[in-house]
Amino acid sequence: MGPATQRAQDAGLGAETTAGPRVAHAVETSARPDGERPAAERAHPLGGRVGRRLFVHIGGFDPETPERVHARLVRELARFRRTWSTLTWTSAPRYDADGAAWTVETTGRDWHVSTLVRFVRWDDVMADYARRPLWLRTARGVVAGLDFAAGGALKGYLRTNWRYALFFLYPLVVVAAFLALAVYAGAAVAALTGWTAVGALAAVVGVGLLIYGPVRWLHLPLASDDWTFARDYIRRPPPTLTDRLDRLAADIVAATRTGEVDEIVVLGHSLGAVLAVDVVERALRLDPELGRGGSPVALVTVGSSILKIALHRGAVRLRAALSRVAAAPAPFWVEYQALVDIMNFYKTDPIAASGLPPSGRPLVRIVRISKMLDPDYYRRIKGRFFRLHCQFVSGNDRRAAYDYFVLACGPVAVRELACLPEGPASAFAADGSPIDRSAPSAATCATGAGSTMMSA
């Protein structure tokens, strides 16, 4: 067990429940012998930069288990190593009821960072929705969609980001088209047989065939569960999830007070951005000085679905959380948005769009996914919307203004990276060594009445 892992466990960040072999990584094919690890406490030549980090990852509504997430992120580290000329070492994951934790030791030219990654699971919450019959999941999804339309969210989507409005309408339109097709088929059968009952039975059978065929193949049950959860989150979030967020908030507060790490990052992707804001607000309730004393805290929302819920007039609790987080002097908050990601809100200030008083936060960074990836690979995935959405939590082929693994494993604090004109691409020389510069002040990139928006 590494020193960073032990420190985090001492701070209440989860007990080790599963042991396994350490996993070593290096550029190309070099590997360290099992059990050997880089020195976690190397002298850090860049005063004020990050040597130890706690990185909290909250994913979106994608029912991946902690085991699969860990395996995927370890695979993606290979891209990070090639792109940034680093060596990485990864510990075996430790699992508990709230997710998984593992340590990543990263070494670059003249720098070393020890990161404790804490993945917050909620695939178990999603599984509760998926246990229902397909027809019921689809029906509940339709009800949720109509609720969001009636609650003013659809109008808000059209006002702020028409692409997201199309994303919202897609499952509803498909289900409506299938229902119309089944009814038409039933009417045709009734006309041919002269029996209305036979036609009605044919329509019912048609609906069933469509639900258990094309509806399932198009992943509409998962989309239905997503919107059903969003509706429940507004009214009464699942207790399993709220209890988990309470524990996580308490752990974050404890970690800031010990000061054992140089930075605590809470990153929320997609619908996980909502939960990230939620947990930071819970932490602020426990400690209004969060991030001002002890370890600094950074909130990072990427591919965010905050407005998916906040634009519903019933989302009073979420808007109150947004207002509190935006108004607090700390933590620092940055949101990354991309045009080609139809599942996020592009060029949008989540605070202003929610109808809340402006506070100058978050800093909104507009990034281009095409600049993160090899051109040939980008062309191959350009029409795969979910894959583009997941680039926010994947490795880059090229140095760019946004890089998930630089935020998690790099030696530069999130606040400084977010404020640099080209983000991580501005922070490192060609050989992978950090470009030493004075960290931008808060006023440099987050001033004025509304959130500052920077493009790269």
Side-chain angles (χ1 to χ4, degrees):
M1 183 186 302
T5 304
Q6 184 62 60
R7 283 191 298 271
Q9 290 180 359
D10 291 344
L13 294 173
E16 184 168 355
T17 59
T18 302
R22 293 182 172 93
V23 182
H25 312 280
V27 177
E28 302 303 335
T29 59
S30 302
R32 299 182 181 89
D34 185 39
E36 184 180 338
R37 62 193 302 273
E41 302 298 330
R42 288 175 62 180
H44 204 280
L46 301 173
R49 295 258 173 99
V50 175
R52 295 171 295 179
R53 177 184 286 114
L54 170 62
F55 188 84
V56 180
H57 175 123
I58 308 177
F61 201 93
D62 181 17
E64 281 195 311
T65 63
E67 293 84 357
R68 290 183 61 186
V69 171
H70 172 262
R72 182 180 67 79
L73 292 180
V74 168
R75 287 196 305 271
E76 289 294 316
L77 273 170
R79 282 183 169 178
F80 170 61
R81 293 193 297 274
R82 290 193 300 268
T83 302
W84 297 96
S85 303
T86 66
L87 306 177
T88 62
W89 169 92
T90 307
S91 74
R94 304 171 312 283
Y95 302 104
D96 61 23
D98 291 336
W102 59 90
T103 301
V104 181
E105 305 279 1
T106 308
T107 302
R109 187 177 180 86
D110 300 326
W111 60 270
H112 178 84
V113 176
S114 178
T115 303
L116 177 70
V117 179
R118 179 166 178 178
F119 172 72
V120 182
R121 75 178 306 173
W122 57 300
D123 60 295
D124 51 347
V125 175
M126 302 174 211
D128 289 338
Y129 288 84
R131 289 190 184 98
R132 300 182 177 99
L134 283 178
W135 68 267
L136 182 57
R137 294 167 68 186
T138 304
R140 285 167 58 89
V142 170
V143 170
L146 294 176
D147 183 283
F148 270 79
L154 175 57
K155 183 179 179 181
Y157 302 158
L158 291 168
R159 183 181 71 251
T160 58
N161 194 316
W162 63 267
R163 291 177 179 84
Y164 199 88
L166 295 180
F167 171 69
F168 165 75
L169 289 170
Y170 164 72
L172 294 176
V173 170
V174 171
V175 171
F178 284 162
L179 287 175
L181 179 62
V183 170
Y184 178 81
V189 170
L192 288 173
T193 62
W195 292 82
T196 303
V198 174
L201 179 61
V204 171
V205 171
V207 168
L209 291 174
L210 290 169
I211 287 176
Y212 286 88
V215 166
R216 183 175 59 181
W217 302 334
L218 293 170
H219 305 291
L220 293 185
L222 179 61
S224 297
D225 293 343
D226 186 342
W227 287 101
T228 302
F229 167 81
R231 183 172 184 260
D232 290 345
Y233 182 84
I234 291 172
R235 286 162 171 75
R236 188 183 179 192
T240 299
L241 183 60
T242 55
D243 291 347
R244 184 167 295 159
L245 296 179
D246 281 336
R247 289 190 293 271
L248 178 59
D251 288 349
I252 290 171
V253 169
T256 62
R257 290 173 177 171
T258 65
E260 289 292 324
V261 294
D262 301 316
E263 180 180 52
I264 297 171
V265 179
V266 181
L267 182 142
H269 174 238
S270 193
L271 198 53
V274 174
L275 304 185
V277 170
D278 192 333
V279 77
V280 168
E281 192 273 336
R282 290 168 191 261
L284 282 168
R285 274 187 269 153
L286 295 173
D287 182 4
E289 298 297 309
L290 182 76
R292 302 186 73 185
S295 300
V297 181
L299 170 63
V300 183
T301 49
V302 298
S304 170
S305 294
I306 287 173
L307 291 175
K308 166 180 181 170
I309 293 180
L311 289 173
H312 191 299
R313 68 172 62 95
V316 176
R317 185 176 56 84
L318 175 59
R319 286 193 293 273
L322 286 168
S323 181
R324 184 184 183 99
V325 171
F332 174 74
W333 180 10
V334 58
E335 171 154 312
Y336 291 91
Q337 303 170 358
L339 173 63
V340 296
D341 179 10
I342 66 170
M343 300 180 200
N344 80 165
F345 287 80
Y346 176 68
K347 280 192 176 180
T348 305
D349 174 1
I351 299 302
S354 298
L356 298 172
S359 66
R361 305 173 70 215
L363 167 64
V364 176
R365 291 299 311 257
I366 306 302
V367 296
R368 295 179 61 183
I369 292 177
S370 62
K371 289 187 175 182
M372 304 177 196
L373 298 172
D374 174 81
D376 289 338
Y377 181 66
Y378 177 73
R379 281 192 291 270
R380 291 201 301 271
I381 68 167
K382 194 172 182 180
R384 294 164 54 188
F385 299 126
F386 186 70
R387 173 61 186 86
L388 292 170
H389 184 56
C390 288
Q391 185 56 38
F392 280 115
V393 289
S394 301
N396 286 2
D397 296 320
R398 300 196 287 174
R399 299 184 181 190
Y402 173 84
D403 192 296
Y404 170 84
F405 285 104
V406 174
L407 296 179
C409 304
V412 184
V414 164
R415 186 185 196 122
E416 182 176 346
L417 285 173
C419 292
L420 292 172
E422 294 293 329
S426 302
F428 295 87
D431 63 359
S433 60
I435 299 172
D436 203 4
R437 67 181 83 217
S438 58
S441 67
T444 303
C445 58
T447 60
S451 297
T452 300
M453 195 169 295
M454 297 174 63
S455 299

